[in-house]
Amino acid sequence: MDKIAVLTSGGDAPGMNAAIRAVVRTAGFYQLGVIGIMRGFHGLIHDEFIELHPRSVADVIHRGGTILKSARSTEFLTPEGQAQAVKNLRNAGVEGLVIIGGDGSFRGGMRLQSAGINVIGVPATIDNDIPCTDYSIGFDTTVNTVVEAINKIRDTATSHERIYVVEVMGRHSGHIALYAGLAGGAETVLVPEVDADLDDLCRRIVGGYELGKAHSIVIVAEGVGGDFQTGRNMEESSAFQIGDYVKEKTGFETRVTVLGHIQRGGNPSAQDRIIASRLGARAVELLKEGHGGHMVGVVHTDIKATPLEDALNQQKQVDLEFHRLAHILASQ
Ligand code: F6P
């Protein structure tokens, strides 16, 4: 094997640049050429290829975002788009591809693997919803970003003795909400994986007030929705609708904060840089050894390779112990 390529795809995540750096530097160590593909699968189809050298990734380990950019590509869902992608890779002499992204990006990678291009997936999404790895690149940084925001909200919530509903990202999963809710000392964490009972939420808030709590902070994962125990079908439920319900039922002053895309940026944490460096380097070694069709993940403290088709047939579960513990610790 003489040459590999690397791309980033899906929602960007802090630490992607550290992973790109590890791919390029490890490839250089093994005398492999590296092509950087701009804008994910869109750039793969439109031949947006750049040569990367060990110096190309100087001074990026600490930067959020991705120097290769990312873009959604509906073209890649077509056979013509996939054929063009394979043709471009072959024309460039690329024999292996590292895909840094989420499960949707890995599904695209499986199509390239079927066409004979060896692909290794590196899990990178702030949602941390990729199975076969304890952590995806970006998750730790995002949890820290949310905890910093909760700390700031806690100050004003205490000053004005208010209820705050804080919506966090996570797409259809509650990993960010659970970790940040526990670390941030939130009174309640609402996640898609656990049916939300708004009347129970209100009882907890009133109970906290009677215990002398100066405020309550409710973390809501953006994927929370559907039928609440109140019997009200809140299909498009959001933090705002939950906030209105709490205010109406408890009479307490309530405010809502939707953290949004600040959760996607920022300098990656040390943990994310270490995970990114380990996974990026292992991906290159697997390609060099002739392997493809796998993702790499960190499991406990080891780096583990899992066939993509096995990984993509699983769903990563949230740790409901975090949910139970957060509520125990905030209930007193
Ligand atoms: O998958 C990462 C993520 O940030 C999700 O948590 C969020 O729902 C989504 O991307 C937002 O997508 P976009 O950046 O296209 O608005």
Side-chain angles (χ1 to χ4, degrees), residues 101-139:
D103 55 349
S105 309
F106 290 1
R107 292 187 201 289
M110 283 186 69
R111 295 194 180 95
L112 295 171
Q113 182 69 43
S114 307
I117 302 285
N118 272 345
V119 168
I120 300 293
V122 173
T125 170
I126 67 166
D127 302 339
N128 202 40
D129 58 355
I130 301 174
C132 307
T133 185
D134 294 345
Y135 298 105
S136 293
I137 295 164
F139 176 63

Side-chain angles (χ1 to χ4, degrees), residues 58-93:
D59 208 26
V60 302
I61 190 169
H62 64 295
R63 287 171 49 194
T66 163
I67 58 173
L68 294 179
K69 303 189 187 307
S70 179
R72 313 242 187 250
S73 171
T74 50
E75 276 182 286
F76 189 76
L77 299 176
T78 66
E80 298 75 17
Q82 293 161 26
Q84 185 60 50
V86 172
K87 183 181 174 193
N88 290 346
L89 288 168
R90 294 211 188 289
N91 288 346

